[in-house]
Amino acid sequence: DVKVTQSSRYLVKRTGEKVFLECVQDMDHENMFWYRQDPGLGLRLIYFSYDVKMKEKGDIPEGYSVSREKKERFSLILESASTNQTSMYLCASSLFTGQETQYFGPGTRLLVL
Amino acid sequence: QQPVQSPQAVILREGEDAVINCSSSKALYSVHWYRQKHGEAPVFLMILLKGGEQKGHEKISASFNEKKQQSSLYLTASQLSYSGTYFCGTGSLVVSARQLTFGSGTQLTVLP
């Protein structure tokens, strides 16, 4: 079974803090993704990566950056957290097979005060 | 643009049927369906590929009409365990071969 883990289930941060969310997958997947999930908006792609040190912007990259130094690990960074970044953050990974089924981690619920 | 899912929410009694629709403005080569229970990760249900196939998974099945760029998820004789939010994720070569674009979800509640 594919396992995708995220470093924290819940986080509370202050406005202006730098926030790191980490994601690790154990199935040697090339692709990794960061989404945020908000009520009524579904899953919106922030960034994705298809290889080590490679990244591409998704639909809502503003205010976020990412890092992928190792194949199994993909980090999402909020450079200066703001209250509108309060959300559920989901990480996913997939093989590049042309079918692109994604496997999700349990999510991190971030509250920015 | 995100695919459009309808309805946004549906409430059923155990044993009733439901249909969830997913419609895209882009040419699609795949549609993926996921279910997410409250507080949990989305879980993959099934994938439909270009070719208009229909797939089944226990009492949950789906169809894909590539010409209309639409997919429908059919839940037959619903069970309490079917409750959750259902998402479609669409694969389109217009966007990227590696990405899925997800709809906003359909919240399904099955009551005893």
Side-chain angles (χ1 to χ4, degrees):
Chain A
D1 271 357
V2 176
K3 194 165 183 184
V4 180
T5 56
Q6 294 183 227
S7 51
S8 306
R9 291 300 304 269
Y10 302 95
L11 271 181
V12 181
K13 297 291 181 181
R14 296 274 179 198
T15 303
E17 280 191 81
K18 191 167 186 176
V19 182
F20 293 88
L21 303 182
E22 290 217 313
C23 175
V24 177
Q25 50 94 3
D26 67 356
M27 285 301 291
D28 206 33
H29 284 175
E30 293 92 352
N31 306 321
M32 296 189 74
F33 307 83
W34 275 107
Y35 295 90
R36 65 177 282 176
Q37 183 176 26
D38 300 290
L41 297 178
L43 299 164
R44 293 181 293 164
L45 183 64
I46 304 171
Y47 268 97
F48 71 101
S49 168
Y50 53 88
D51 201 352
V52 174
K53 296 192 187 293
M54 304 301 289
K55 61 184 179 184
E56 287 201 24
K57 292 180 180 179
D59 299 318
I60 51 164
E62 295 80 17
Y64 303 94
S65 62
V66 290
S67 171
R68 193 164 180 200
E69 297 295 321
K70 293 185 178 180
K71 191 175 184 180
E72 68 271 17
R73 190 179 298 268
F74 191 34
S75 301
L76 179 70
I77 303 153
L78 286 68
E79 297 290 343
S80 178
S82 63
T83 54
N84 63 12
Q85 292 178 310
T86 290
S87 187
M88 169 69 88
Y89 290 88
L90 288 165
C91 174
S93 71
S94 70
L95 271 173
F96 182 49
T97 63
Q99 296 184 6
E100 309 308 312
T101 297
Q102 295 185 14
Y103 297 90
F104 285 85
T108 296
R109 188 165 292 281
L110 174 67
L111 173 62
V112 182
L113 300 173
Chain B
Q1 296 89 333
Q2 290 179 285
V4 176
Q5 284 187 237
S6 62
Q8 289 185 317
V10 58
I11 299 174
L12 301 173
R13 294 278 178 193
E14 250 185 312
E16 292 181 338
D17 302 340
V19 180
I20 300 171
N21 299 301
C22 175
S23 180
S24 174
S25 59
K26 296 183 175 67
L28 304 177
Y29 70 84
S30 70
V31 179
H32 303 234
W33 285 97
Y34 290 79
R35 176 172 62 209
Q36 183 181 29
K37 292 185 179 284
H38 184 69
E40 298 180 10
V43 172
F44 172 71
L45 293 176
M46 66 185 77
I47 178 175
L48 299 105
L49 299 175
K50 192 174 175 180
E53 64 182 287
Q54 182 150 351
K55 275 199 166 181
H57 177 73
E58 296 179 344
K59 293 180 181 176
I60 301 175
S61 62
S63 63
F64 177 24
N65 186 326
E66 63 190 271
K67 287 183 182 176
K68 292 187 177 179
Q69 294 153 198
Q70 291 176 347
S71 177
S72 295
L73 186 71
Y74 307 95
L75 298 105
T76 306
S78 56
Q79 304 167 14
L80 295 176
S81 61
Y82 287 2
S83 290
T85 301
Y86 290 78
F87 293 98
C88 66
T90 55
S92 165
L93 292 173
V94 173
V95 176
S96 161
R98 296 175 186 265
Q99 281 181 249
L100 294 178
T101 306
F102 287 90
S104 57
T106 296
Q107 190 168 345
L108 180 78
T109 305
V110 181
L111 301 174

